[in-house]
């Protein structure tokens, strides 16, 4: 017998295994819908909880919910939106940051689907007038996946959003986050500092948690006491002591942070700085010899300084405690299965020329079945890193306004979000249109002299 030896990457093997595991849930959607057609749910104002629970336990409902979950994981979706309409329920997946419609099911199935999800998340199925939040721990394809459930009453029923938290997708390591070598080296050096504040900024869904978890992953947990305060705790880390914030019982970010400081910590990660009290405690912790990592919602790295001032932190405290700010966004990658040569529209040429590229030698995705005709598959990060050196510390004490910080950053040696995005375009990772979309820069923001204000 001849043995044929072949070589394959770990990623390709895992993808094939995922497809094989997913195929075991080979449900026929039409058959499921027909199987549940006879289930009637009372639609009166005071719906019987027992009827809801009974209908949610019917096999077709269970199989349909399983189908939605396994399909989302297979498609690498980050969220599932279950949206009730007047005559049907729309199911949408958020894939690579964009919502795609998956299927529509009859509206009479909606109460049973919602009830099934509520039962799985230990929520109150009889309460449909107020929003509810819960979580589900499941095993799919042999690995554990956490689901965060959020319900919201709407005019046609309860809308449900399921956030999929897959540890496989977040624990990438800093070297796989997409930073350019110079930015990566500088950011690693900031993570290795013994004290100070290191902030990661960006909008919701920009990959901040992935970066923070990756930074924690490179630390020596055998000799350091690493503690986190999160809301919610998205992923379990064996190397950290993780605290779940709970404002209902008074365990806020600020109160939990105070308690952590009495636990002899070396490294503290705060999920988000939401108010002045949390920011002040984080700054004081940094000044007393701790390294504090956290996130903040700002548009770019330079505006973080003015944001901290606006929530009540004195400029001299910011200058003394802040080490660096990393701003980031996620751009969609060009689909490798349908990429082709592409000459971008003429009004976008100047962006590529300014970066030393050729606008006639770029690629994009034409659209295929594997990328849902979008031309994109997967996402990559773009970054801008602001290092608070002596020059910036002096400037913060003199003028901490956003315009002042941006001018100083423009003169630094580090690229902006837009510059890093253009570099990804030149490398054939993404498109100029995608970079403009996520950086909120566009061809219309000229200053009157034909120059763009990024």
């Amino acid at each position: 017998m001849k043995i044929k030896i072949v070589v394959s990457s770990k990623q390709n093997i895992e993808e094939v295994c995922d497809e094989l595991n997913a195929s075991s849930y080979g449900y026929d959607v039409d058959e499921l819908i027909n199987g549940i057609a006879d289930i009637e749910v009372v639609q009166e104002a005071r719906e019987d909880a027992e009827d809801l629970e009974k209908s949610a336990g019917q096999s077709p409902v269970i199989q349909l919910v399983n189908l939605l979950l396994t399909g989302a994981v297979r498609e690498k979706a980050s969220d599932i939106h279950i949206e009730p309409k007047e005559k049907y329920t729309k199911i949408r997946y958020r894939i690579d940051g964009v919502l795609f419609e998956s299927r529509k099911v009859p509206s009479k199935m909606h109460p049973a689907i919602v009830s099934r999800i509520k039962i799985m998340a230990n929520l109150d199925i009889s309460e449909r007038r107020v929003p509810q939040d819960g979580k589900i721990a499941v095993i799919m394809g042999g690995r554990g996946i956490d689901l965060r459930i959020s319900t919201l009453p709407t005019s046609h029923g309860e809308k449900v959003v399921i956030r999929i938290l897959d540890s496989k997708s977040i624990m990438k390591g800093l070297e796989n986050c997409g930073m350019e070598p110079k930015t990566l080296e500088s950011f690693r050096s900031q993570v290795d500092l013994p004290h100070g504040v290191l902030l990661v900024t960006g909008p919701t869904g920009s990959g901040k948690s992935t970066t923070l978890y990756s930074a924690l992953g490179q630390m020596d947990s055998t000799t350091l006491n690493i503690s986190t305060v999160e809301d919610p705790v998205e992923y379990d880390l064996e190397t950290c002591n993780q605290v779940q914030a709970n404002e209902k019982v008074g365990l806020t970010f600020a109160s939990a942070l105070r308690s952590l400081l009495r636990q002899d910590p070396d490294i503290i990660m705060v999920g988000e700085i939401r108010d002045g009290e949390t920011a002040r405690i984080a700054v004081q912790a940094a000044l007393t010899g701790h390294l504090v990592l956290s996130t903040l919602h700002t548009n770019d790295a330079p505006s973080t300084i003015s944001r901290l001032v606006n929530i009540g932190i004195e400029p001299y405290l910011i200058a003394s405690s802040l080490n660096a700010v990393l701003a980031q966004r996620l751009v969609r990658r060009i689909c490798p299965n349908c990429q082709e040569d592409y000459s971008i529209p003429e009004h976008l040429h100047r962006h590529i020329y300014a970066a030393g590229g050729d606008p006639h030698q770029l690629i994009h995705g034409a659209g295929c079945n594997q990328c849902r005709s979008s031309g994109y598959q997967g996402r990559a990060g773009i970054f801008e890193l602001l290092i608070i050196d002596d020059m910036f510390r002096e400037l913060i004490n003199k003028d901490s306004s956003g315009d002042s910080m941006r001018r100083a950053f423009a003169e630094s040696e580090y690229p902006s979000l837009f510059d890093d995005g253009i570099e990804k375009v030149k490398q054939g990772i993404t498109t100029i249109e995608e970079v403009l979309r996520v950086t909120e820069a566009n061809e219309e923001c000229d200053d009157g002299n034909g120059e763009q204000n990024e």
Side-chain angles (χ1 to χ4, degrees):
M1 180 179 65
K2 293 184 178 180
I3 298 176
K4 183 179 180 181
I5 300 175
V6 296
V7 178
S8 179
S9 68
K10 180 181 178 182
Q11 180 181 355
N12 288 339
I13 294 173
E14 289 179 346
E15 288 178 355
V16 171
C17 290
D18 288 344
E19 290 179 4
L20 291 175
N21 286 323
S23 65
S24 63
Y25 298 96
Y27 304 131
D28 185 305
V29 178
D30 293 332
E31 184 178 336
L32 293 179
I33 292 174
N34 291 333
I36 199 173
D38 295 331
I39 295 178
E40 294 185 6
V41 180
V42 180
Q43 298 291 338
E44 297 176 358
R46 299 183 62 183
E47 194 165 35
D48 191 336
E50 292 185 3
D51 288 340
L52 273 175
E53 189 168 359
K54 181 179 179 181
S55 63
Q58 296 289 331
S59 178
V61 178
I62 295 174
Q63 291 180 356
L64 180 57
V65 172
N66 289 347
L67 173 68
L68 298 180
L69 296 177
T70 54
V73 172
R74 185 171 62 252
E75 295 279 352
K76 296 181 174 60
S78 61
D79 301 87
I80 305 172
H81 288 240
I82 302 174
E83 304 170 330
K85 306 299 179 182
E86 183 178 2
K87 297 181 179 180
Y88 60 89
T89 291
K90 181 190 297 184
I91 311 295
R92 295 197 289 174
Y93 292 159
R94 185 176 295 279
I95 303 172
D96 297 335
V98 178
L99 283 170
F100 292 90
E101 184 173 322
S102 172
R103 59 178 51 87
K104 295 177 181 178
V105 298
S107 58
K108 61 184 175 182
M109 293 182 64
H110 185 78
I113 294 173
V114 174
S115 297
R116 171 60 185 169
I117 295 171
K118 284 185 174 182
I119 290 171
M120 295 172 66
N122 292 319
L123 300 179
D124 186 356
I125 65 171
S126 64
E127 180 56 80
R128 295 176 296 136
R129 299 166 297 176
V130 297
Q132 297 187 63
D133 297 304
K135 60 183 180 180
I136 306 170
V138 298
I139 296 178
M140 296 186 192
R143 67 178 187 268
I145 294 176
D146 289 330
L147 309 174
R148 295 289 184 267
I149 312 300
S150 174
T151 70
L152 180 71
T154 69
S155 57
H156 296 296
E158 290 179 281
K159 178 187 175 184
V160 180
V161 175
I162 303 175
R163 168 64 57 89
I164 301 171
L165 304 175
D166 184 359
S167 58
K168 177 182 175 182
S169 66
I170 195 167
M171 298 306 294
K172 295 180 176 179
L174 286 176
E175 66 278 1
N176 297 317
C177 285
M179 296 185 199
E180 295 300 309
K182 181 180 178 181
T183 302
L184 176 60
E185 181 182 357
S186 298
F187 185 71
R188 282 187 185 278
S189 67
Q190 295 300 314
V191 173
D192 290 335
L193 292 176
H195 54 77
V197 177
L198 174 59
L199 295 177
V200 179
T201 73
T204 300
S206 60
K208 300 187 298 296
S209 295
T210 299
T211 301
L212 282 181
Y213 277 113
S214 298
L216 293 177
Q218 83 163 42
M219 297 177 178
D220 183 7
S221 60
T222 60
T223 60
L224 297 173
N225 177 13
I226 306 174
S227 300
T228 74
V229 185
E230 305 170 65
D231 184 22
V233 174
E234 295 188 4
Y235 302 94
D236 291 328
L237 300 177
E238 294 184 3
T239 58
C240 303
N241 305 293
Q242 297 172 275
V243 177
Q244 168 71 59
N246 187 347
E247 295 189 3
K248 293 181 180 178
V249 299
L251 186 60
T252 62
F253 277 117
S255 62
L257 189 50
R258 285 196 196 93
S259 298
L260 279 184
L261 290 174
R262 296 192 287 269
Q263 292 279 317
D264 186 30
D266 296 299
I267 312 293
I268 299 173
M269 193 270 275
V270 183
E272 181 184 348
I273 292 180
R274 297 177 177 175
D275 52 50
E277 184 181 11
T278 304
R280 186 171 297 278
I281 298 171
V283 167
Q284 293 298 334
L287 293 175
T288 53
H290 304 90
L291 179 63
V292 181
L293 286 70
S294 189
T295 69
L296 197 65
H297 289 280
T298 61
N299 290 329
D300 53 27
S303 62
T304 301
I305 312 300
S306 57
R307 170 64 177 155
L308 290 172
V309 172
N310 289 339
I311 62 177
I313 307 301
E314 291 81 358
Y316 75 91
L317 289 177
I318 299 173
S320 301
S321 62
L322 187 61
N323 291 341
V325 180
L326 179 75
Q328 67 179 77
R329 298 288 191 278
L330 291 177
V331 293
R332 291 180 291 173
R333 290 179 177 270
I334 296 172
C335 176
N337 302 294
C338 60
Q339 67 180 34
E340 63 179 15
D341 293 336
Y342 172 58
S343 181
I344 65 174
E346 188 173 350
H347 66 281
L348 300 178
H349 284 191
R350 56 198 171 101
H351 299 302
I352 306 301
Y353 281 133
D358 185 346
H360 301 290
Q361 295 183 352
L362 301 176
I363 61 174
H364 78 155
C368 64
N369 292 334
Q370 295 194 37
C371 64
R372 297 161 297 278
S373 300
S374 66
Y376 299 97
Q377 190 175 68
R379 287 192 288 181
I382 59 173
F383 305 86
E384 71 178 17
L385 180 63
L386 168 59
I387 304 291
I388 308 299
D389 55 17
D390 291 340
M391 184 272 288
F392 271 101
R393 296 187 198 282
E394 182 178 353
L395 182 60
I396 290 171
N397 284 317
K398 289 182 179 180
D399 181 8
S400 59
S401 67
D403 290 340
S404 175
M405 292 295 110
R406 289 190 187 93
R407 284 194 296 269
F409 180 75
E411 297 172 0
S412 72
E413 56 188 71
Y414 289 95
S416 67
L417 280 169
F418 185 77
D419 294 334
D420 192 41
I422 294 297
E423 183 62 30
K424 298 292 194 299
V425 173
K426 291 168 57 180
Q427 295 173 12
I429 295 174
T430 189
T431 63
I432 180 65
E433 292 88 348
E434 183 70 3
V435 172
L436 291 171
R437 180 182 71 86
V438 301
T439 60
E440 299 180 359
N442 58 66
E443 64 274 15
E444 297 177 356
C445 54
D446 287 348
D447 61 6
N449 298 318
E451 297 179 1
Q452 181 170 349
N453 298 320
E454 254 90 68

